[in-house]
Amino acid sequence: KTTITFGPHSSHLWSWQNLFIMLMGFADAIVVYWRLIRRYRQMQMRHVISELHYIAEGHLNHRIQLAVNPDLQRVVTSINALVDSTVRSMEEERKIESSKDELITNVSHDIRTPLTSIIGYLGLIEDNQASSEADARKYVHTAFLKAKQMKVLVEDLFEYTKVRSTTTKLTTDKFDMAAMLEQLAASFELEGQKQGLEFEVQANPNPLMMEADTEKLGRVFNNLIVNAFKYGHGAKHIYLTAKQDGDEVEVRVANDGEQIPNQSLSQLFDRFYRVEGSRSKATGGSGLGLAIAQSIVRLHGGYIYAESTPELTSFVMHLPVKMGTTLKRPDKQPAAN
């Protein structure tokens, strides 16, 4: 029997044989543990693959809920995030398709109505059914007005499609917002007088210098002011105000006419939506004006919303002072009473 001794007392230690057996047993334990861990991870992987196949079969509401090792957990988390992203993309695609169908339906309706009138009145003239020259002129005049109505719709539809495109480019200019509001008030003054409306303009500071595409921003103001003419029943004033607060400018187009119902405020910027709930012959229009305004404001990195009380109805725009900045819309807008 071979032993190891050393020291003055010839102390006996482990024999080489016992030490080897101990090391081999420890090594075997490590190998067994490693194999068990590997087998367990293989089982986890098979479970993950099985769950993934289940999702791939069309069960997109299912998510992998397994307690696995950290490395595999990162894979599981990525898979779940990918499925969530895919579902969101599919839902967005469905909304886009539904939106396109709705757009086509509404445009078809709005074009067909005046087109039917045009064909009808011109048909009467074509068939010599006008009882007099005065009637013929009346029919021609009505057809002309309907044609102009169709032209407005087509132009608005073209503008709406253009400003909704992510590739639309803005021509940025530095300008004085205070001067722009004064010019707008002057250009609509005659029409306002016809309807008994007076313009009031206020800006702080004055001049108020900022950057924007003035042509497109002019379209926004035009749509909002025309909207006030059409729907601000009982109004005596239109207020155009602007104030700068740090890196943003708040612009309001307001009137003291009839209040907009609370339930309609959130829908005002929807395409073809009208507060009166019908396609009024008196007000006319394409129903795209506010949707166009919203799209243009978003192109500038801003946002727009409406407020309405018994005293005042306001369309409020928040625009960045410098182009290239995107303003964050607050979670809570001022309440409409």
Side-chain angles (χ1 to χ4, degrees), residues 192 195-201 225 228-229 232-240 253-258 311-313:
Q195 299 194 32
L197 285 166
E198 181 181 350
F199 280 86
E200 292 189 17
V201 180
I225 293 172
F229 283 158
H233 305 301
K236 298 299 181 184
H237 299 86
I238 291 181
Y239 304 97
L240 305 179
V253 178
N255 69 82
D256 53 2
E258 183 179 326
E311 294 77 27
L312 205 64
T313 293

Side-chain angles (χ1 to χ4, degrees), residues 21 28 96 105 113 126 150 177 182 199 221 224:
I21 292 173
D28 288 341
I96 291 173
T105 299
T113 301
E126 176 73 14
M150 284 182 60
M177 175 60 79
E182 291 286 358
F199 280 86
F221 285 116
L224 294 178

Side-chain angles (χ1 to χ4, degrees), residues 5 10 32 50 94 107 145 149 181 194 226 244 253 265:
T5 63
S10 301
V32 171
S50 177
R94 281 195 291 267
V107 169
L145 294 178
Q149 183 180 336
L181 295 182
K194 291 179 180 179
V226 170
Q244 183 175 354
V253 178
L265 286 176

Side-chain angles (χ1 to χ4, degrees), residues 213-266:
D213 185 324
T214 53
E215 181 180 350
K216 284 186 169 55
L217 209 55
R219 178 66 184 266
V220 173
F221 285 116
N222 181 79
N223 289 355
L224 294 178
I225 293 172
V226 170
N227 191 74
F229 283 158
K230 290 181 178 180
Y231 304 107
H233 305 301
K236 298 299 181 184
H237 299 86
I238 291 181
Y239 304 97
L240 305 179
T241 61
K243 65 177 181 179
Q244 183 175 354
D245 183 9
D247 294 331
E248 67 179 86
V249 176
E250 180 188 278
V251 187
R252 290 176 176 259
V253 178
N255 69 82
D256 53 2
E258 183 179 326
Q259 181 181 5
I260 298 175
N262 287 341
Q263 63 271 21
S264 297
L265 286 176
S266 61

Side-chain angles (χ1 to χ4, degrees), residues 85-121:
S85 177
T86 302
V87 170
R88 286 195 298 270
S89 298
M90 293 173 63
E91 290 176 349
E92 186 65 25
E93 186 66 26
R94 281 195 291 267
K95 288 180 180 178
I96 291 173
E97 289 300 322
S98 176
S99 179
K100 288 180 180 178
D101 292 342
E102 179 188 1
L103 179 62
I104 292 172
T105 299
N106 287 324
V107 169
S108 299
H109 178 277
D110 280 15
I111 288 180
R112 183 176 58 187
T113 301
L115 185 59
T116 300
S117 296
I118 292 171
I119 294 173
Y121 283 110

